[in-house]
Amino acid sequence: MGESQAGIGLGRDAFLEIRVELVDSDPAIWRQLEIRSTMTLDQVHRVLQTAFDWEDMHLHRFTALEPFVRLRPVDGEIPDDLQWLPKQECLDPDDRAEEDLSLAQLFVLGSGVAFYEYDFGDSWLHRLEMVSQRPADEGAPPARLVDGARRGPLEDSGGLPGYEEVMDALADSSHHDHDEYSAWVADMTGSTEPFDPAFLDIADVNWSLAELF
């Protein structure tokens, strides 16, 4: 990174280029996004939902530290395991309102890395890493998809293991669950067209992002 983490978009208008990857996906499911540094986390949530073709059907949270990893003491103390949620979902003392924190501030807390978990049942965990930053262009869209690979998994497919099982069944017409999963995917997508997990239409995503703001 070209600048210190302390200077991540704070006190000035900037664009942050970030790589967002679905943790443990293989092949990797990822997006390269440019997002305005001052965007609040509730807005970033909407960007990520659009970029991965999620449908905002479940709860979500942001964290500066990787969740599910045992925290190690720092100077003899365990760091606070804070999470940022929609204001109405903040029920625990360590919960913070996502409306009150910007993307730049979250990256400062995580030293250039952050995490976004969507659907606490399927646990779609996204790792966000800041790649670079640049001054904001006047009139530029606040969020833009630069690059990426593969479509986002289907909602309620059971996390990565479940989604992989569905994809295996779809790819093999002799699979005992092929017909059942084919019907389920058609119902979920609203289309009987063959489902291509490698498909990603960057132009269409950017059109949808432009509609958000």
Side-chain angles (χ1 to χ4, degrees):
M1 299 178 189
E3 300 184 37
S4 68
Q5 301 298 350
I8 296 176
L10 294 180
R12 55 193 170 85
D13 203 3
F15 274 107
L16 307 181
E17 184 172 0
I18 64 172
R19 180 183 170 96
V20 186
E21 184 167 330
L22 199 56
V23 173
D24 293 331
S25 58
D26 184 19
I29 301 171
W30 60 276
R31 303 289 184 266
Q32 200 90 353
L33 291 154
E34 276 194 349
I35 301 179
R36 194 175 290 270
S37 62
T38 54
M39 190 174 284
T40 54
L41 297 186
D42 58 311
Q43 296 172 313
V44 177
H45 158 68
R46 295 168 62 196
V47 170
L48 295 175
Q49 287 284 306
T50 301
F52 283 86
D53 199 26
W54 299 123
E55 298 180 20
D56 205 2
M57 297 169 57
H58 302 282
L59 297 174
H60 68 274
R61 64 172 173 166
F62 289 89
T63 60
L65 303 173
E66 183 172 2
F68 319 123
V69 173
R70 185 181 180 87
L71 297 178
R72 297 178 180 176
V74 176
D75 295 330
E77 295 184 2
I78 300 293
D80 290 334
D81 188 15
L82 301 177
Q83 58 182 3
W84 286 264
L85 306 163
K87 190 172 296 184
Q88 68 272 16
E89 302 293 339
C90 292
L91 303 175
D92 295 330
D94 288 336
D95 293 345
R96 301 290 185 270
E98 64 183 13
E99 295 87 349
D100 297 336
L101 197 78
S102 72
L103 178 61
Q105 290 170 321
L106 182 65
F107 274 139
V108 168
L109 292 170
S111 298
V113 173
F115 294 87
Y116 168 77
E117 184 186 7
Y118 171 61
D119 185 350
F120 300 159
D122 283 359
S123 190
W124 302 108
L125 184 62
H126 307 67
R127 183 181 188 273
L128 288 65
E129 181 176 3
M130 195 187 87
V131 176
S132 64
Q133 63 178 309
R134 62 176 179 81
D137 299 331
E138 186 175 350
R144 181 173 71 95
L145 179 61
V146 178
D147 199 0
R150 308 183 71 81
R151 67 176 299 162
L154 292 169
E155 297 273 5
D156 297 325
S157 55
L160 284 171
Y163 180 63
E164 290 167 4
E165 180 180 340
V166 173
M167 293 302 100
D168 288 344
L170 288 186
D172 181 3
S173 59
S174 66
H175 193 286
H176 63 279
D177 288 326
H178 177 80
D179 292 342
E180 179 183 349
Y181 280 137
S182 295
W184 180 78
V185 169
D187 182 61
M188 290 294 291
T189 61
S191 173
T192 57
E193 292 294 318
F195 182 87
D196 182 4
F199 178 75
L200 175 63
D201 188 334
I202 291 177
D204 184 64
V205 172
N206 280 324
W207 182 88
S208 297
L209 287 173
E211 292 290 296
L212 288 180
F213 306 104

